[in-house]
Amino acid sequence: MKISIVTETFLPSTDGVVTRLRATIDYLIDQGHEIQVIAPDLGVRSYRNIRFDGVQPRTFFLYKHRKFGMPTRLIKKYFEEFGPDLIHVVNPAFMGYSGIKYGKRLGVPLIASYHTHVPKYANYYNQSWSEPLLWWHFRRMHNKADINLCTSQAILEELNEQNFYNMHLWKRGVDTERFNPELHDENMRRKLTNDHPEKRLLLFVGRLAFEKEIDSLIPMLEQNPDAHLAIVGDGPYRTELEKNFAHLDNITFTGFMHGEELAKAYASSDAFMFPSTTETLGLVILEAMASGLPVIAAESGPTNEQVDDGSTGLLYRSGPEGNLSDVIKRLEDDNLLERMSKQAYTHSRDYGWRGPAQQLLDFYESAIEMKQEEEQRAIQ
């Protein structure tokens, strides 16, 4: 099968969408399929000898810290040159609009997947007026696809309520070989704790953006000086975060980590912090569990699907009436911490990437069959 993947984000970017895409592409290639990736050209033009077609990235005025590929007729040219059997548009927003438009115009089976809860970001950036418009925009694009996918049951139900067409759940996964408790490293722990390895080490991994709600962890650190928070990642909000946390000495900013270094950071920590309530999934949750970390997470639909309170982690209420500081104190119980660590690790073993990748391939084949049946009805 020849598969065109149009994605708003790809290498060298680091996020959950890219992680999922790489795992999926690896599987598809290993199964003998031919892949084309159309993405913003950020300098990385090769991955496992796939065909890469770049779109000139530009800055979007409402989010100036990141460059996006804009709608372009060039995508139609790329499709025509490659001749795909199926088109998958990942997270359609800007250039994804062209992927949807020209895929539909060319009559190729079309799948779209929803990964970023952009309409919910409107309130974080004082643009609440735009939320209905954003819902209209994303619904209009997705409803041109033959099959739509999302990554959690809670988001699926919300998108159904927003009248998105033919929604299905694309299961979550994790690299169960890379992330492992056995990678615990004392030197890494010293690095993450500013040479205070005896402290309870809490880890955050992700893009540093305002909507991630990392600031909400400040009161907890103020009230728990024996805890230390390591923030692994980078992004547009990093400078502001460093100012906001500057009065604390139990905080470390590391910037991005990748590969074995990142796996060691997970395995060398005591618990994982997940304060965001706007995620459609949060792949880092499973990466933490696979590393033997219980997850301390703000309650939200997608997060509650992954974290079993008191078993694989602890859930807390966010906001003015939040109870994070009280929840963190429960980590002082070493027996509870050890039990949750073991249960988190055991839980993660069922979520390798092979299952979700094969499930996606099944969706691809279903979309092709649907298109063939549609063509046959048109002939009759």
Side-chain angles (χ1 to χ4, degrees), residues 182-199:
E182 294 181 2
L183 291 174
H184 178 94
D185 183 271
E186 278 301 312
N187 289 331
M188 175 61 73
R189 186 176 178 91
R190 287 185 175 277
K191 175 181 179 179
L192 296 177
T193 59
N194 289 338
D195 213 27
H196 289 283
E198 74 283 357
K199 289 194 172 186

Side-chain angles (χ1 to χ4, degrees), residues 156-174:
L156 186 148
E157 292 171 2
E158 184 172 3
L159 295 179
N160 281 336
E161 290 174 1
Q162 291 290 337
N163 297 316
F164 280 55
Y165 168 77
N166 201 9
M167 292 299 313
H168 298 271
L169 178 65
W170 184 9
K171 297 175 183 177
R172 60 187 183 269
V174 67

Side-chain angles (χ1 to χ4, degrees), residues 158-298:
E158 184 172 3
L159 295 179
N160 281 336
E161 290 174 1
Q162 291 290 337
N163 297 316
F164 280 55
Y165 168 77
N166 201 9
M167 292 299 313
H168 298 271
L169 178 65
W170 184 9
K171 297 175 183 177
R172 60 187 183 269
V174 67
D175 188 336
T176 54
E177 295 181 4
R178 167 166 290 175
F179 299 102
N180 194 297
E182 294 181 2
L183 291 174
H184 178 94
D185 183 271
E186 278 301 312
N187 289 331
M188 175 61 73
R189 186 176 178 91
R190 287 185 175 277
K191 175 181 179 179
L192 296 177
T193 59
N194 289 338
D195 213 27
H196 289 283
E198 74 283 357
K199 289 194 172 186
R200 189 72 75 196
L201 177 53
L202 310 175
L203 182 71
F204 171 90
V205 175
R207 183 171 55 88
L208 307 189
F210 180 63
E211 67 271 12
K212 299 294 184 179
E213 302 178 70
I214 306 167
D215 287 317
S216 67
L217 303 179
I218 293 175
M220 177 272 296
L221 287 180
E222 291 174 337
Q223 296 169 31
N224 292 272
D226 290 334
H228 191 100
L229 176 65
I231 295 180
V232 175
D234 212 331
Y237 197 54
R238 178 171 176 172
T239 299
E240 192 68 22
L241 277 175
E242 289 177 337
K243 291 178 182 177
N244 295 346
F245 280 88
H247 64 291
L248 296 167
D249 60 9
N250 51 344
I251 180 75
T252 303
F253 289 86
T254 72
F256 280 125
M257 290 183 177
H258 303 279
E260 185 176 350
E261 184 183 34
L262 176 60
K264 285 182 178 180
Y266 276 117
S268 303
S269 303
D270 295 313
F272 186 74
M273 303 302 302
F274 194 79
S276 176
T277 57
T278 61
E279 304 297 319
T280 58
L281 180 64
L283 287 177
V284 289
I285 289 177
L286 265 181
E287 291 178 352
M289 289 184 181
S291 305
L293 298 189
V295 177
I296 316 303

Side-chain angles (χ1 to χ4, degrees), residues 115-166:
H115 301 264
T116 305
H117 220 10
V118 175
K120 293 299 183 182
Y121 289 178
N123 291 330
Y124 286 87
Y125 292 94
N126 298 316
Q127 303 287 330
S128 55
W129 59 269
S130 68
E131 184 174 347
L133 180 61
L134 289 168
W135 276 123
W136 172 84
H137 173 65
F138 287 104
R139 179 171 53 245
R140 178 169 172 260
M141 285 192 293
H142 276 271
N143 284 356
K144 293 180 184 296
D146 298 299
I147 293 176
N148 282 297
L149 307 176
C150 65
T151 56
S152 69
Q153 184 64 33
I155 296 299
L156 186 148
E157 292 171 2
E158 184 172 3
L159 295 179
N160 281 336
E161 290 174 1
Q162 291 290 337
N163 297 316
F164 280 55
Y165 168 77
N166 201 9

